[in-house]
mmCIF file of all heavy atoms in Angstrom:
data_model
loop_
_atom_site.group_PDB
_atom_site.id
_atom_site.type_symbol
_atom_site.label_atom_id
_atom_site.label_comp_id
_atom_site.label_asym_id
_atom_site.label_seq_id
_atom_site.Cartn_x
_atom_site.Cartn_y
_atom_site.Cartn_z
ATOM 1 N N SER R 7 -7.116 23.484 -1.454
ATOM 2 C CA SER R 7 -7.746 24.145 -2.602
ATOM 3 C C SER R 7 -7.068 25.454 -2.960
ATOM 4 O O SER R 7 -7.495 26.142 -3.880
ATOM 5 C CB SER R 7 -9.225 24.406 -2.299
ATOM 6 O OG SER R 7 -9.367 25.332 -1.228
ATOM 7 N N LYS R 8 -6.016 25.824 -2.230
ATOM 8 C CA LYS R 8 -5.250 27.051 -2.450
ATOM 9 C C LYS R 8 -6.038 28.311 -2.099
ATOM 10 O O LYS R 8 -5.636 29.414 -2.469
ATOM 11 C CB LYS R 8 -4.758 27.150 -3.906
ATOM 12 C CG LYS R 8 -4.032 25.917 -4.415
ATOM 13 C CD LYS R 8 -2.827 25.552 -3.560
ATOM 14 C CE LYS R 8 -2.081 24.348 -4.122
ATOM 15 N NZ LYS R 8 -0.974 23.900 -3.252
ATOM 16 N N LYS R 9 -7.148 28.158 -1.379
ATOM 17 C CA LYS R 9 -7.846 29.348 -0.893
ATOM 18 C C LYS R 9 -7.007 30.052 0.164
ATOM 19 O O LYS R 9 -7.117 31.261 0.353
ATOM 20 C CB LYS R 9 -9.212 28.963 -0.306
ATOM 21 C CG LYS R 9 -10.237 28.561 -1.344
ATOM 22 C CD LYS R 9 -11.569 28.193 -0.720
ATOM 23 C CE LYS R 9 -12.265 29.396 -0.110
ATOM 24 N NZ LYS R 9 -13.624 29.058 0.388
ATOM 25 N N LYS R 10 -6.205 29.290 0.874
ATOM 26 C CA LYS R 10 -5.268 29.841 1.845
ATOM 27 C C LYS R 10 -3.846 29.509 1.374
ATOM 28 O O LYS R 10 -3.575 28.372 0.983
ATOM 29 C CB LYS R 10 -5.494 29.241 3.238
ATOM 30 C CG LYS R 10 -6.878 29.489 3.819
ATOM 31 C CD LYS R 10 -7.071 30.933 4.242
ATOM 32 C CE LYS R 10 -8.385 31.099 5.002
ATOM 33 N NZ LYS R 10 -8.625 32.519 5.364
ATOM 34 N N PRO R 11 -2.943 30.467 1.396
ATOM 35 C CA PRO R 11 -1.581 30.229 0.876
ATOM 36 C C PRO R 11 -0.685 29.516 1.879
ATOM 37 O O PRO R 11 0.419 29.976 2.179
ATOM 38 C CB PRO R 11 -1.096 31.654 0.592
ATOM 39 C CG PRO R 11 -1.770 32.485 1.641
ATOM 40 C CD PRO R 11 -3.136 31.869 1.835
ATOM 41 N N TYR R 12 -1.170 28.402 2.407
ATOM 42 C CA TYR R 12 -0.433 27.681 3.425
ATOM 43 C C TYR R 12 0.211 26.438 2.824
ATOM 44 O O TYR R 12 -0.316 25.820 1.899
ATOM 45 C CB TYR R 12 -1.351 27.257 4.570
ATOM 46 C CG TYR R 12 -2.135 28.378 5.221
ATOM 47 C CD1 TYR R 12 -3.323 28.101 5.895
ATOM 48 C CD2 TYR R 12 -1.695 29.696 5.168
ATOM 49 C CE1 TYR R 12 -4.045 29.122 6.505
ATOM 50 C CE2 TYR R 12 -2.411 30.714 5.768
ATOM 51 C CZ TYR R 12 -3.594 30.420 6.431
ATOM 52 O OH TYR R 12 -4.310 31.438 7.017
ATOM 53 N N SER R 13 1.350 26.054 3.362
ATOM 54 C CA SER R 13 2.000 24.810 2.970
ATOM 55 C C SER R 13 1.311 23.647 3.696
ATOM 56 O O SER R 13 1.133 23.691 4.910
ATOM 57 C CB SER R 13 3.483 24.858 3.339
ATOM 58 O OG SER R 13 4.092 23.614 3.074
ATOM 59 N N LEU R 14 0.921 22.621 2.941
ATOM 60 C CA LEU R 14 0.172 21.505 3.520
ATOM 61 C C LEU R 14 0.984 20.220 3.455
ATOM 62 O O LEU R 14 1.496 19.844 2.398
ATOM 63 C CB LEU R 14 -1.153 21.319 2.771
ATOM 64 C CG LEU R 14 -2.045 20.167 3.248
ATOM 65 C CD1 LEU R 14 -2.483 20.383 4.698
ATOM 66 C CD2 LEU R 14 -3.263 20.029 2.335
ATOM 67 N N HIS R 15 1.109 19.543 4.593
ATOM 68 C CA HIS R 15 1.766 18.243 4.689
ATOM 69 C C HIS R 15 0.729 17.206 5.126
ATOM 70 O O HIS R 15 -0.218 17.532 5.842
ATOM 71 C CB HIS R 15 2.900 18.263 5.713
ATOM 72 C CG HIS R 15 4.026 19.181 5.352
ATOM 73 N ND1 HIS R 15 5.314 18.726 5.111
ATOM 74 C CD2 HIS R 15 4.079 20.538 5.207
ATOM 75 C CE1 HIS R 15 6.094 19.755 4.835
ATOM 76 N NE2 HIS R 15 5.370 20.865 4.889
ATOM 77 N N ARG R 16 0.961 15.956 4.732
ATOM 78 C CA ARG R 16 0.045 14.871 5.105
ATOM 79 C C ARG R 16 0.858 13.609 5.335
ATOM 80 O O ARG R 16 1.588 13.163 4.447
ATOM 81 C CB ARG R 16 -0.989 14.648 4.003
ATOM 82 C CG ARG R 16 -2.073 13.619 4.319
ATOM 83 C CD ARG R 16 -3.113 13.623 3.188
ATOM 84 N NE ARG R 16 -4.265 12.822 3.535
ATOM 85 C CZ ARG R 16 -4.389 11.519 3.232
ATOM 86 N NH1 ARG R 16 -3.411 10.905 2.586
ATOM 87 N NH2 ARG R 16 -5.470 10.857 3.570
ATOM 88 N N VAL R 17 0.741 13.031 6.531
ATOM 89 C CA VAL R 17 1.474 11.802 6.849
ATOM 90 C C VAL R 17 0.511 10.823 7.506
ATOM 91 O O VAL R 17 0.096 11.007 8.656
ATOM 92 C CB VAL R 17 2.675 12.071 7.783
ATOM 93 C CG1 VAL R 17 3.428 10.770 8.047
ATOM 94 C CG2 VAL R 17 3.616 13.108 7.184
ATOM 95 N N THR R 18 0.153 9.782 6.783
ATOM 96 C CA THR R 18 -0.688 8.730 7.341
ATOM 97 C C THR R 18 0.185 7.718 8.086
ATOM 98 O O THR R 18 1.425 7.763 8.026
ATOM 99 C CB THR R 18 -1.461 8.009 6.235
ATOM 100 O OG1 THR R 18 -0.534 7.296 5.402
ATOM 101 C CG2 THR R 18 -2.260 8.999 5.369
ATOM 102 N N PHE R 19 -0.465 6.797 8.757
ATOM 103 C CA PHE R 19 0.248 5.734 9.459
ATOM 104 C C PHE R 19 1.094 4.922 8.476
ATOM 105 O O PHE R 19 2.264 4.603 8.751
ATOM 106 C CB PHE R 19 -0.759 4.838 10.175
ATOM 107 C CG PHE R 19 -0.143 3.731 10.997
ATOM 108 C CD1 PHE R 19 0.680 4.021 12.077
ATOM 109 C CD2 PHE R 19 -0.408 2.411 10.699
ATOM 110 C CE1 PHE R 19 1.238 3.005 12.842
ATOM 111 C CE2 PHE R 19 0.133 1.382 11.458
ATOM 112 C CZ PHE R 19 0.968 1.687 12.523
ATOM 113 N N ASN R 20 0.519 4.612 7.302
ATOM 114 C CA ASN R 20 1.266 3.854 6.300
ATOM 115 C C ASN R 20 2.449 4.660 5.757
ATOM 116 O O ASN R 20 3.514 4.104 5.472
ATOM 117 C CB ASN R 20 0.345 3.433 5.154
ATOM 118 C CG ASN R 20 -0.602 2.308 5.553
ATOM 119 O OD1 ASN R 20 -0.388 1.633 6.553
ATOM 120 N ND2 ASN R 20 -1.649 2.120 4.777
ATOM 121 N N ASP R 21 2.254 5.972 5.597
ATOM 122 C CA ASP R 21 3.364 6.821 5.162
ATOM 123 C C ASP R 21 4.512 6.760 6.174
ATOM 124 O O ASP R 21 5.684 6.677 5.800
ATOM 125 C CB ASP R 21 2.907 8.273 5.008
ATOM 126 C CG ASP R 21 1.908 8.464 3.884
ATOM 127 O OD1 ASP R 21 1.922 7.663 2.928
ATOM 128 O OD2 ASP R 21 1.104 9.418 3.970
ATOM 129 N N ALA R 22 4.150 6.835 7.452
ATOM 130 C CA ALA R 22 5.167 6.810 8.497
ATOM 131 C C ALA R 22 5.896 5.473 8.522
ATOM 132 O O ALA R 22 7.126 5.416 8.700
ATOM 133 C CB ALA R 22 4.522 7.097 9.855
ATOM 134 N N LEU R 23 5.151 4.378 8.325
ATOM 135 C CA LEU R 23 5.792 3.065 8.261
ATOM 136 C C LEU R 23 6.769 3.000 7.094
ATOM 137 O O LEU R 23 7.891 2.488 7.222
ATOM 138 C CB LEU R 23 4.730 1.972 8.107
ATOM 139 C CG LEU R 23 3.897 1.626 9.338
ATOM 140 C CD1 LEU R 23 2.835 0.592 8.976
ATOM 141 C CD2 LEU R 23 4.769 1.110 10.472
ATOM 142 N N ALA R 24 6.344 3.537 5.941
ATOM 143 C CA ALA R 24 7.204 3.514 4.755
ATOM 144 C C ALA R 24 8.477 4.318 4.971
ATOM 145 O O ALA R 24 9.522 4.026 4.372
ATOM 146 C CB ALA R 24 6.442 4.038 3.541
ATOM 147 N N ASP R 25 8.397 5.331 5.834
ATOM 148 C CA ASP R 25 9.571 6.151 6.130
ATOM 149 C C ASP R 25 10.393 5.618 7.304
ATOM 150 O O ASP R 25 11.331 6.274 7.750
ATOM 151 C CB ASP R 25 9.140 7.591 6.415
ATOM 152 C CG ASP R 25 9.044 8.415 5.146
ATOM 153 O OD1 ASP R 25 9.387 7.906 4.071
ATOM 154 O OD2 ASP R 25 8.618 9.592 5.229
ATOM 155 N N GLY R 26 10.008 4.449 7.824
ATOM 156 C CA GLY R 26 10.849 3.799 8.833
ATOM 157 C C GLY R 26 10.415 3.949 10.272
ATOM 158 O O GLY R 26 11.230 3.782 11.190
ATOM 159 N N LEU R 27 9.139 4.238 10.532
ATOM 160 C CA LEU R 27 8.676 4.438 11.908
ATOM 161 C C LEU R 27 8.913 3.198 12.777
ATOM 162 O O LEU R 27 9.465 3.296 13.875
ATOM 163 C CB LEU R 27 7.188 4.805 11.909
ATOM 164 C CG LEU R 27 6.532 4.925 13.291
ATOM 165 C CD1 LEU R 27 7.162 6.058 14.097
ATOM 166 C CD2 LEU R 27 5.018 5.135 13.158
ATOM 167 N N TYR R 28 8.488 2.038 12.300
ATOM 168 C CA TYR R 28 8.635 0.838 13.118
ATOM 169 C C TYR R 28 10.104 0.486 13.323
ATOM 170 O O TYR R 28 10.505 0.058 14.417
ATOM 171 C CB TYR R 28 7.886 -0.338 12.491
ATOM 172 C CG TYR R 28 8.035 -1.619 13.283
ATOM 173 C CD1 TYR R 28 7.421 -1.770 14.525
ATOM 174 C CD2 TYR R 28 8.816 -2.669 12.797
ATOM 175 C CE1 TYR R 28 7.567 -2.933 15.262
ATOM 176 C CE2 TYR R 28 8.970 -3.846 13.527
ATOM 177 C CZ TYR R 28 8.345 -3.969 14.762
ATOM 178 O OH TYR R 28 8.495 -5.123 15.500
ATOM 179 N N ALA R 29 10.916 0.682 12.278
ATOM 180 C CA ALA R 29 12.347 0.411 12.427
ATOM 181 C C ALA R 29 12.958 1.295 13.503
ATOM 182 O O ALA R 29 13.815 0.861 14.278
ATOM 183 C CB ALA R 29 13.062 0.628 11.085
ATOM 184 N N ARG R 30 12.501 2.541 13.572
ATOM 185 C CA ARG R 30 13.004 3.453 14.595
ATOM 186 C C ARG R 30 12.543 3.020 15.990
ATOM 187 O O ARG R 30 13.293 3.128 16.968
ATOM 188 C CB ARG R 30 12.540 4.882 14.288
ATOM 189 C CG ARG R 30 13.081 5.942 15.257
ATOM 190 C CD ARG R 30 14.613 5.931 15.314
ATOM 191 N NE ARG R 30 15.223 5.931 13.995
ATOM 192 C CZ ARG R 30 15.446 7.038 13.288
ATOM 193 N NH1 ARG R 30 15.112 8.222 13.785
ATOM 194 N NH2 ARG R 30 16.020 6.953 12.104
ATOM 195 N N ILE R 31 11.319 2.530 16.093
ATOM 196 C CA ILE R 31 10.821 2.024 17.371
ATOM 197 C C ILE R 31 11.648 0.822 17.815
ATOM 198 O O ILE R 31 11.992 0.675 19.000
ATOM 199 C CB ILE R 31 9.321 1.652 17.244
ATOM 200 C CG1 ILE R 31 8.477 2.925 17.096
ATOM 201 C CG2 ILE R 31 8.851 0.842 18.453
ATOM 202 C CD1 ILE R 31 7.024 2.660 16.779
ATOM 203 N N CYS R 32 11.985 -0.047 16.862
ATOM 204 C CA CYS R 32 12.837 -1.199 17.183
ATOM 205 C C CYS R 32 14.197 -0.734 17.698
ATOM 206 O O CYS R 32 14.732 -1.275 18.683
ATOM 207 C CB CYS R 32 13.025 -2.079 15.949
ATOM 208 S SG CYS R 32 11.546 -2.985 15.453
ATOM 209 N N LEU R 33 14.765 0.266 17.047
ATOM 210 C CA LEU R 33 16.055 0.787 17.475
ATOM 211 C C LEU R 33 15.964 1.354 18.891
ATOM 212 O O LEU R 33 16.841 1.126 19.726
ATOM 213 C CB LEU R 33 16.509 1.874 16.501
ATOM 214 C CG LEU R 33 17.863 2.531 16.776
ATOM 215 C CD1 LEU R 33 18.983 1.502 16.626
ATOM 216 C CD2 LEU R 33 18.086 3.698 15.818
ATOM 217 N N ARG R 34 14.885 2.086 19.140
ATOM 218 C CA ARG R 34 14.699 2.703 20.459
ATOM 219 C C ARG R 34 14.527 1.636 21.552
ATOM 220 O O ARG R 34 15.029 1.797 22.666
ATOM 221 C CB ARG R 34 13.471 3.618 20.401
ATOM 222 C CG ARG R 34 13.158 4.369 21.678
ATOM 223 C CD ARG R 34 14.080 5.557 21.860
ATOM 224 N NE ARG R 34 13.730 6.330 23.025
ATOM 225 C CZ ARG R 34 12.913 7.385 23.007
ATOM 226 N NH1 ARG R 34 12.358 7.768 21.864
ATOM 227 N NH2 ARG R 34 12.666 8.055 24.102
ATOM 228 N N ARG R 35 13.845 0.558 21.206
ATOM 229 C CA ARG R 35 13.565 -0.495 22.190
ATOM 230 C C ARG R 35 14.667 -1.546 22.245
ATOM 231 O O ARG R 35 14.622 -2.441 23.093
ATOM 232 C CB ARG R 35 12.232 -1.162 21.861
ATOM 233 C CG ARG R 35 11.027 -0.237 21.994
ATOM 234 C CD ARG R 35 9.757 -0.895 21.479
ATOM 235 N NE ARG R 35 9.483 -2.135 22.186
ATOM 236 C CZ ARG R 35 8.528 -3.002 21.810
ATOM 237 N NH1 ARG R 35 7.807 -2.762 20.729
ATOM 238 N NH2 ARG R 35 8.328 -4.094 22.507
ATOM 239 N N GLY R 36 15.620 -1.492 21.324
ATOM 240 C CA GLY R 36 16.715 -2.458 21.334
ATOM 241 C C GLY R 36 16.323 -3.831 20.865
ATOM 242 O O GLY R 36 16.878 -4.837 21.338
ATOM 243 N N ILE R 37 15.375 -3.890 19.943
ATOM 244 C CA ILE R 37 14.955 -5.187 19.410
ATOM 245 C C ILE R 37 15.248 -5.216 17.911
ATOM 246 O O ILE R 37 15.424 -4.188 17.264
ATOM 247 C CB ILE R 37 13.458 -5.463 19.665
ATOM 248 C CG1 ILE R 37 12.591 -4.392 18.978
ATOM 249 C CG2 ILE R 37 13.169 -5.503 21.152
ATOM 250 C CD1 ILE R 37 11.096 -4.633 19.132
ATOM 251 N N ASP R 38 15.325 -6.424 17.368
ATOM 252 C CA ASP R 38 15.629 -6.587 15.947
ATOM 253 C C ASP R 38 14.400 -6.301 15.098
ATOM 254 O O ASP R 38 13.283 -6.727 15.423
ATOM 255 C CB ASP R 38 16.112 -8.015 15.664
ATOM 256 C CG ASP R 38 17.474 -8.294 16.287
ATOM 257 O OD1 ASP R 38 18.238 -7.320 16.453
ATOM 258 O OD2 ASP R 38 17.747 -9.466 16.600
ATOM 259 N N TRP R 39 14.644 -5.583 13.995
ATOM 260 C CA TRP R 39 13.563 -5.335 13.045
ATOM 261 C C TRP R 39 13.404 -6.520 12.117
ATOM 262 O O TRP R 39 14.393 -7.096 11.634
ATOM 263 C CB TRP R 39 13.886 -4.102 12.201
ATOM 264 C CG TRP R 39 12.858 -3.835 11.135
ATOM 265 C CD1 TRP R 39 11.765 -3.045 11.240
ATOM 266 C CD2 TRP R 39 12.831 -4.372 9.802
ATOM 267 N NE1 TRP R 39 11.051 -3.046 10.075
ATOM 268 C CE2 TRP R 39 11.678 -3.863 9.164
ATOM 269 C CE3 TRP R 39 13.670 -5.237 9.097
ATOM 270 C CZ2 TRP R 39 11.339 -4.190 7.856
ATOM 271 C CZ3 TRP R 39 13.328 -5.569 7.779
ATOM 272 C CH2 TRP R 39 12.177 -5.055 7.167
ATOM 273 N N THR R 40 12.143 -6.929 11.887
ATOM 274 C CA THR R 40 11.839 -7.932 10.869
ATOM 275 C C THR R 40 10.586 -7.474 10.129
ATOM 276 O O THR R 40 9.745 -6.746 10.674
ATOM 277 C CB THR R 40 11.567 -9.326 11.474
ATOM 278 O OG1 THR R 40 10.389 -9.271 12.289
ATOM 279 C CG2 THR R 40 12.761 -9.813 12.303
#
């Protein structure tokens, strides 16, 4: 609401998936992404 002059970020589970979270987990675990 801008009552506090703070920068606000928001990342939901779906946001993280859209940014490649599961693909990164696949890379870390050495498995193929599908």
Side-chain angles (χ1 to χ4, degrees):
S7 65
K8 309 303 182 185
K9 288 180 68 175
K10 300 288 188 183
Y12 305 156
S13 175
L14 179 62
H15 296 243
R16 185 174 189 268
V17 182
T18 66
F19 183 62
N20 287 343
D21 294 334
L23 286 176
D25 273 356
L27 175 63
Y28 179 70
R30 183 56 48 85
I31 290 172
C32 289
L33 181 65
R34 182 78 176 267
R35 295 172 58 189
I37 61 177
D38 292 333
W39 176 92
T40 64

